[in-house]
Amino acid sequence: MTYAKPDGIVTTEWLAQHLDDPKVKVIDVTYFHHSMKRDAKAEHAAKHIPGSVHFDIDDIKMPGDARPHMLPTPEIFAEKVGRLGISNGDKVVCYDMVGLQTAARGWWMFRIFGHDNVAVLDGGLPKWIAEGRPVSDKPTQAKPATFKASFRPNLVRSLDDLRADMNRTREQVVDARAAGRFRGEEKELWPGRPGHIPGSRNLPFPDLLDPKDKTFLPADQIKAKFDASGLDLKRPVVASCGSGVTACVVALGAYLIGKDDVPVYDGSWSEWGLREDMPAATGPA
C-alpha cells in the first residue's frame, strides 16, 4: 500500500540529488526540551546538512506568550522565514537531529501559513549521516527573501475549541505522547497535572516510525496504528501532545495516508494540564 499523499516526505536520496538546487531550502527544525540540557542551535552550527539553516521554534513564535512556542502571527512568520532566505517559490525540506520528531512542526507551520510546497526528510539527520552523506560546520549565509504568509485556521485548534466539544461528539483527539505520560503513570515533562484530555486516544508518535531508521512505516501499517488506537479516520481528528510539537508527526502520518485535514492543538498538555478549570483523566483511554 503506497502513500496517498507522498509529497509530505522526501527521501535522503532525493535531497542528495537536489541539495544544490537554489529553489530547495533545507531547514533544521531540531528542538530539545529544556530538561535535556542540549543546545539545538549550537549542535546545528557544529554539524548540519550543507546549506541548511536552523529554524528555531522558540524564536519563530508568538512573542510575550508564556505558553511554549505558540504560533506567531502570519506577519511575524513571514518576516522570520524571509530572514532565513525562504520565499513562496521555494520547496522547503524540514529535518531534525533525532530522526523524525520535531521536523514535522516546521512542516505544519509552513502549511498553516499557506505554503504547501514543504516536506519532511524521512529519517532525518541520523539516516543522512548513516548513509555517508556530507555534513558541514560552515554557517549558511542566507540571502533575505520575501515570503507572504496567509493563515489557515482549519489546521489549528485552541483550548476553547476543545472545551466547546468536551464530549468529543464533533472531533476526536489523539495524543502523541508516550503511553506512560498519557495515562499519568510517568512524570510529565511540562508543569501541571499528569494525565490527558478526557475522551482522547493515545497514539505515541514513535509507533508510526520504523524503529531502525526513524522513517515512516508503510501506509497500511500507519493505518493499522490509527485503527488500533480506537480512532475513526472517517471522522474529524485533532492531534495533541505535550506542547504541540510531536502532535505534528501524527498529523503528518495521517496526511501520508490521505487524511490531510488534521489540525493540531497548539497549546496541548502544556496548556491544558495547567488549567485547574479543565478536567483531566488518567489511566488508559
Side-chain angles (χ1 to χ4, degrees):
M1 182 178 175
T2 58
Y3 296 130
K5 298 183 75 68
D7 59 291
I9 54 175
V10 297
T11 64
T12 49
E13 180 181 14
W14 184 94
L15 182 58
Q17 293 171 349
H18 293 82
L19 200 57
D20 294 329
D21 186 337
K23 301 306 290 181
V24 173
K25 302 297 172 64
V26 184
I27 60 173
D28 178 352
V29 197
T30 301
Y31 160 79
F32 296 120
H33 187 270
H34 59 80
S35 64
M36 299 180 70
K37 302 186 185 306
R38 292 179 64 178
D39 186 333
K41 185 176 181 179
E43 291 191 32
H44 169 84
K47 183 165 57 180
H48 54 263
I49 293 176
S52 66
V53 294
H54 186 226
F55 182 97
D56 185 355
I57 65 172
D58 274 341
D59 174 60
I60 306 175
K61 66 173 185 177
M62 182 65 77
D65 196 317
R67 296 167 295 178
H69 34 256
M70 294 294 287
L71 280 173
T73 64
E75 293 77 18
I76 291 173
F77 185 81
E79 188 268 335
K80 295 281 188 179
V81 302
R83 284 188 191 178
L84 295 178
I86 299 170
S87 72
N88 298 89
D90 292 326
K91 181 177 183 66
V92 180
V93 177
C94 312
Y95 78 91
D96 64 55
M97 300 176 194
V98 178
L100 212 163
Q101 179 168 305
T102 60
R105 175 76 182 192
W107 168 84
W108 175 70
M109 289 177 72
F110 271 93
R111 288 186 69 228
I112 205 168
F113 289 116
H115 192 79
D116 288 324
N117 197 8
V118 57
V120 167
L121 179 63
D122 209 16
L125 187 63
K127 189 171 190 293
W128 180 269
I129 291 174
E131 294 169 347
R133 303 191 190 278
V135 293
S136 176
D137 60 359
K138 297 179 180 179
T140 300
Q141 302 299 325
K143 181 179 179 181
T146 299
F147 187 94
K148 295 182 179 179
S150 56
F151 183 64
R152 291 170 169 163
N154 61 303
L155 290 179
V156 66
R157 292 292 182 272
S158 67
L159 183 144
D160 287 341
D161 292 329
L162 270 65
R163 175 164 49 189
D165 186 25
M166 287 296 293
N167 294 324
R168 310 272 74 88
T169 56
R170 291 198 301 272
E171 295 181 321
Q172 305 162 97
V173 176
V174 56
D175 192 319
R177 292 177 298 161
R181 290 171 64 194
F182 176 84
R183 293 193 296 258
E185 298 168 352
E186 297 177 3
K187 181 177 174 58
E188 177 51 48
L189 296 177
W190 299 98
R193 300 163 293 167
H196 59 265
I197 297 169
S200 60
R201 300 287 182 168
N202 187 210
L203 178 52
F205 79 91
D207 288 2
L208 300 179
L209 308 176
D210 186 321
K212 296 190 298 295
D213 61 5
K214 302 299 187 290
T215 57
F216 269 106
L217 295 172
D220 56 343
Q221 294 183 36
I222 291 176
K223 175 64 164 55
K225 296 290 186 180
F226 276 99
D227 291 343
S229 72
L231 292 163
D232 179 359
L233 290 181
K234 295 179 182 178
R235 294 183 53 217
V237 175
V238 177
S240 180
C241 60
S243 65
V245 177
T246 59
C248 299
V249 178
V250 173
L252 177 53
Y255 179 93
L256 292 174
I257 60 173
K259 191 169 181 62
D260 60 1
D261 59 352
V262 174
V264 169
Y265 170 26
D266 199 17
S268 285
W269 194 250
S270 65
E271 177 181 37
W272 190 287
L274 279 174
R275 292 285 297 265
E276 294 292 338
D277 58 325
M278 303 307 297
T282 56

